[in-house]
Amino acid sequence: MISIREYELAESLEQAHEMLLKNRFNTIIGGGAFLRLGSKRINKAIDLSKLGLDYIEEDEHEIRIGAMATLRQLEMSSALLENFSGTVAESVKHIVGVQLRNIVTVGGTVYSRYGFSDPITALLALETYVDLYKGGRMSLDEFLEKGSPRDILTQVVIKKSMEKASFKMLRNSSGDYAIINACVAVKNGSIRIAAGARPARAKLAAAASEFISGRELSEENIEKAAQMAAEELDFGSNMRASADYRRQMCRVLVKRALMEV
Amino acid sequence: MDINVKINGKNVAFQIDPDDYLSETLRKYGYMSIRKGCDTSSCGLCTVWLDGKPVLSCSTLSVRANGAEVTTIEGLQKEAEDFASFLVSEGAEQCGFCSPGFIMTVLAMKKELKNPSEEEIKNYLNGNLCRCTGYVGQLRALKKYMGVE
């Protein structure tokens, strides 16, 4: 059971950050949906609801997503439907139901670096940055590796550098957590391959990406790149699937995604 | 702590703890249409509207309803009856435990989607579980209700 002793609606990011640093059991809350399934003990829950962070903005270079935007907003955003082959919107479509996606926030999902996250995998294949209140801008890649403890994620920024993308996932049943997911993005032959729910957090398959970039997307090259991605990433076992099954399926998903771009 | 909520058009004050979830609060104050079926945020039985959007009340902190508008099926009797008659005429109504949450999602879908395909209907209703029946009868009723083939 989750327990929260106090609750405070932050009036500014500065104030929220001060509160966060005051006690190590103080926590920023996003939608609060996943928290409920755990047993976290929170001293003070800091709510960013009133800071206007629920936007999705677009200009010619990038799309900026405020931390409090919900997954449902991602799914319905015309900016995200019209760019990157609609991949970001596609990646959240299978997460439980509309009712949960109306609660869960982008900030809560990305900052927590959940391994099971589908949108993180899609964002990672694109050129994505996170803006942190103290830590400034960091590539999502770097953030996933290092994290940024005791900070506040204010927005996620996707550069419009990738032209096409494809997101694939495998679930036992629709609405369940993904067993494995993968996303491939491409621009001018330059390709990024990411896979997540391994079940560890999403990661780029660097060697496979480098191999396939600039090469013709022939059946043979695609097969080889998918094989490389499955070999270079590490996979784990849990109640949903074994490491070995995930490796096999990762190869299949990467191959299918590559065939689509 | 106290929160003020406009529920089914009426202003009310609820007394809550910071870690209360909306499903508990609503049931505590007598809105017994809120069902709890799964405890894992996946069954949809506890669905209410928060500022017009369907949410899982079991996964929404009560404090988030402060200053907001909450709609439960108690506030949508007429609309609910209207849809229920479609369910009944397709023989898709069984024990009824999942009905309030399911109907709240259906009514939200009716507001949000125009002329949806079967695929879109299914996608919208993903995460609403019924343990008595399959979903074929429900889907038939839904298509008629939405006025699509």
Side-chain angles (χ1 to χ4, degrees), chain A residues 1-260:
Chain A
M1 277 281 278
I2 177 191
S3 75
I4 302 175
R5 218 169 63 82
E6 275 175 65
Y7 162 87
E8 195 146 336
L9 196 55
E11 277 156 21
S12 65
L13 281 169
E14 192 188 353
Q15 189 215 11
H17 189 252
E18 264 171 32
M19 287 191 279
L20 182 63
L21 293 188
K22 245 181 208 148
N23 177 320
R24 74 190 177 92
F25 295 108
N26 289 359
T27 305
I28 305 283
I29 46 168
F34 188 71
L35 279 182
R36 174 181 164 269
L37 303 178
S39 55
K40 205 172 157 97
R41 278 178 45 222
I42 294 173
N43 178 57
K44 184 182 279 185
I46 305 161
D47 188 342
L48 308 179
S49 291
K50 289 286 182 281
L51 303 182
L53 294 174
D54 58 349
Y55 56 86
I56 298 179
E57 297 169 348
E58 178 187 23
D59 65 25
E60 55 180 311
H61 307 293
E62 62 192 28
I63 296 171
R64 292 177 295 277
I65 306 164
M68 294 301 284
T70 64
L71 296 194
R72 181 70 177 159
Q73 277 174 271
L74 285 195
E75 186 183 354
M76 304 305 284
S77 154
S78 55
L80 290 170
L81 285 166
E82 284 157 19
N83 285 285
F84 325 118
S85 321
T87 299
V88 178
E90 175 66 28
S91 75
V92 299
K93 210 173 154 181
H94 307 279
I95 298 172
V96 191
V98 169
Q99 304 103 301
L100 188 85
R101 301 199 292 276
N102 269 330
I103 302 171
V104 175
T105 63
V106 171
T109 303
V110 175
Y111 187 82
S112 310
R113 302 185 291 158
Y114 293 129
F116 56 74
S117 173
D118 291 313
I120 287 179
T121 304
L123 291 170
L124 185 58
L126 303 171
E127 190 190 348
T128 304
Y129 297 85
V130 293
D131 281 351
L132 299 153
Y133 179 68
K134 276 288 159 196
R137 184 161 293 192
M138 197 184 281
S139 73
L140 177 61
D141 185 12
E142 190 188 346
F143 176 73
L144 288 177
E145 224 161 86
K146 298 199 310 204
S148 185
R150 317 308 291 159
D151 207 337
I152 301 174
L153 187 151
T154 57
Q155 68 175 1
V156 168
V157 180
I158 317 172
K159 296 286 177 191
K160 287 189 179 168
S161 54
M162 290 300 188
E163 275 167 348
K164 279 170 82 179
S166 171
F167 174 84
K168 299 283 169 203
M169 49 80 204
L170 185 68
R171 292 168 138 76
N172 277 332
S173 69
S174 180
D176 195 0
Y177 292 99
I179 293 170
I180 181 85
N181 60 34
C183 189
V184 164
V186 59
K187 169 158 194 187
N188 290 338
S190 168
I191 293 179
R192 279 160 72 98
I193 302 171
R198 302 173 295 126
R201 63 178 72 109
K203 209 170 167 188
L204 287 169
S209 301
E210 200 190 313
F211 166 79
I212 195 74
S213 290
R215 276 201 166 78
E216 187 207 343
L217 287 175
S218 64
E219 212 180 309
E220 195 185 336
N221 285 339
I222 285 176
E223 196 76 62
K224 171 117 194 269
Q227 185 67 39
M228 281 174 79
E231 273 166 23
E232 74 176 287
L233 295 170
D234 44 325
F235 299 87
S237 301
N238 64 5
M239 61 179 283
R240 287 198 165 71
S242 69
D244 200 36
Y245 181 70
R246 283 194 163 96
R247 186 180 304 281
Q248 300 280 344
M249 291 304 114
C250 179
R251 182 180 61 77
V252 174
L253 296 189
V254 169
K255 178 179 158 186
R256 288 181 187 170
L258 280 169
M259 282 163 67
E260 273 183 19

Side-chain angles (χ1 to χ4, degrees), chain A residues 1-7 29-33 35-37 46-50 68 72 75-76 93-94 96-103 105 174-175 177, chain B residues 1 17-19 21 24 38-45 47-48 53-61 63-64 66 101 105 112-113 123-128:
Chain A
M1 277 281 278
I2 177 191
S3 75
I4 302 175
R5 218 169 63 82
E6 275 175 65
Y7 162 87
I29 46 168
L35 279 182
R36 174 181 164 269
L37 303 178
I46 305 161
D47 188 342
L48 308 179
S49 291
K50 289 286 182 281
M68 294 301 284
R72 181 70 177 159
E75 186 183 354
M76 304 305 284
K93 210 173 154 181
H94 307 279
V96 191
V98 169
Q99 304 103 301
L100 188 85
R101 301 199 292 276
N102 269 330
I103 302 171
T105 63
S174 180
Y177 292 99
Chain B
M1 60 194 291
D17 286 327
D19 48 12
Y21 277 83
E24 305 158 22
C38 71
D39 222 25
T40 57
S41 314
S42 49
C43 77
L45 266 61
T47 302
V48 301
K53 293 187 189 129
V55 298
L56 298 177
S57 62
C58 77
S59 304
T60 302
L61 284 162
V63 67
R64 285 277 163 79
N66 195 13
T105 316
E112 209 176 334
L113 304 185
N123 182 260
Y124 200 100
L125 292 172
N126 201 357
N128 288 271

